[in-house]
Amino acid sequence: MSQTVVNIPPSGPEMESKYEEKVVSPWKEVWRKFKKNKMAVVGFGIVSFFILLAIFADWIAPYGFKETQLNQKHLSPSSEHWFGTDEFGRDIFSRIIYGARISLWVGFLSVAGSAVVGSFLGILAGYYGRWVDTIISRFFDILLAFPSILLAIAVVAMLGPSLQNALIAIAIINVPTFGRLVRSRVLTIKEEEYITAAKAIGMGDGRILLHHVLPNSLAPIIVQGTLAIATAIIEAAALGFLGMGAQPPTPEWGKMLADSKDFMIQAPWTVFFPGIAIMLTVLGFNLMGDGLRDALDPKMKN
């Protein structure tokens, strides 16, 4: 009679630890994938650099942003004035450092406002549908029918030129972008089985939206928010350049470009350095946003 040998895998604490799967937090996994993207890390470094400049501007800037020396106007870059001086003898390096605080403040606050309002409207439109979706979607279509910069100019023209009104205008023109993005996401989420199960056990719409729909919509909101900050900085600079944003002597980068446009040949550094600051900041947020998109996209898991 033949004997059958059955191989039974060994058991015990050692083998349990060997076969035990390591549970990784989703956000740690996102950070791990983000770090693998070298360009995203470069963008994160650029953004972090400008954020630190904005936070410690009072200690880093060698001069005050309003400090004028008329006998030193249009000095070329030197050891005393690293980026030279403008038409009023103000130190451009110091004004760019303080300008980082203004540009980032406008970018973060305007995008935060548009993300909150747009996401709220998008969730309502996608979850309830019918006439709610129709009204909100037509509202988005009306806002998107206008070129963004022209709509921002119109809003500032009605409210009056100032940095705060420019912030409000930038927030308004970004609302439909977040709204349509979240709406499309919610249309998919509300068909999932866990939403059906939540309704079956009697969970109210408020709890479903807060505990299930919103958390599963955060990934595209975060990615779009990062990219929208770059757009908001450009739009704030455009409004400042047109004289409808920050007013003198606020060291806003767009306003600095507008004030220096008549001296491009005589003193090119007055235009070059503010333009480079805008370009680097926008580049940093775009690179970081692309990295977050890849890290948060489940299709990129492998």
Side-chain angles (χ1 to χ4, degrees):
M1 184 177 179
S2 61
Q3 211 172 18
T4 304
V5 179
V6 180
N7 293 324
I8 302 175
S11 59
E14 295 182 359
M15 295 309 298
E16 287 180 2
S17 61
K18 180 179 179 181
Y19 290 102
E20 183 181 3
E21 294 184 358
K22 185 178 180 181
V23 179
V24 181
S25 167
W27 292 109
K28 287 184 179 180
E29 179 67 14
V30 168
W31 175 243
R32 184 186 64 82
K33 293 167 66 176
F34 181 84
K35 289 191 296 184
K36 287 185 176 181
N37 190 327
K38 294 182 180 179
M39 296 307 296
V41 173
V42 171
F44 179 76
I46 294 173
V47 171
S48 300
F49 172 75
F50 279 99
I51 290 176
L52 290 175
L53 280 184
I55 294 174
F56 298 105
D58 295 329
W59 292 272
I60 297 175
Y63 301 92
F65 67 88
K66 294 190 292 184
E67 187 175 338
T68 60
Q69 300 179 26
L70 296 178
N71 60 336
Q72 296 187 7
K73 62 181 182 179
H74 288 159
L75 294 180
S76 60
S78 63
S79 58
E80 185 178 359
H81 300 283
W82 290 3
F83 291 175
T85 61
D86 62 9
E87 67 275 17
F88 295 107
R90 296 174 298 194
D91 184 66
I92 295 177
F93 177 67
S94 300
R95 288 179 62 79
I96 286 178
I97 291 176
Y98 281 103
R101 180 179 293 178
I102 302 297
S103 295
L104 292 176
W105 179 74
V106 172
F108 280 110
L109 283 187
S110 63
V111 169
S114 57
V116 170
V117 176
S119 299
F120 175 73
L121 294 176
I123 288 175
L124 293 181
Y127 186 78
Y128 290 105
R130 299 183 179 180
W131 63 270
V132 177
D133 186 18
T134 301
I135 294 175
I136 294 177
S137 295
R138 296 298 77 78
F139 171 68
F140 291 158
D141 291 339
I142 292 173
L143 291 180
L144 291 171
F146 298 93
S148 58
I149 189 63
L150 292 181
L151 181 58
I153 291 173
V155 173
V156 175
M158 289 187 294
L159 299 178
S162 70
L163 186 62
Q164 290 76 14
N165 293 338
L167 188 153
I168 294 172
I170 294 170
I172 290 174
I173 64 178
N174 284 316
V175 164
T177 304
F178 285 95
R180 298 186 74 174
L181 177 69
V182 173
R183 174 185 174 274
S184 63
R185 177 66 177 164
V186 173
L187 288 174
T188 302
I189 293 174
K190 74 175 185 178
E191 302 298 331
E192 297 289 342
E193 294 181 356
Y194 60 85
I195 299 295
T196 305
K199 292 179 179 178
I201 62 175
M203 184 178 291
D205 289 343
R207 291 188 62 191
I208 292 175
L209 293 176
L210 185 61
H211 294 284
H212 296 293
V213 175
L214 180 59
N216 287 284
S217 303
L218 283 179
I221 294 175
I222 293 173
V223 174
Q224 180 59 36
T226 306
L227 297 173
I229 292 175
T231 305
I233 291 174
I234 293 178
E235 290 164 346
L239 291 173
F241 185 85
L242 295 173
M244 306 188 75
Q247 300 300 306
T250 305
E252 197 274 324
W253 293 336
K255 183 60 178 173
M256 291 174 66
L257 287 175
D259 294 339
S260 304
K261 67 181 185 297
D262 295 331
F263 309 104
M264 292 180 62
I265 305 300
Q266 177 185 353
W269 55 86
T270 59
V271 177
F272 177 77
F273 290 112
I276 287 293
I278 296 172
M279 184 201 72
L280 287 177
T281 308
V282 172
L283 176 65
F285 277 107
N286 283 333
L287 292 176
M288 193 170 70
D290 290 340
L292 285 174
R293 180 192 58 201
D294 295 342
L296 291 168
D297 188 355
K299 295 178 182 178
M300 303 289 290
K301 202 165 189 176
N302 295 324

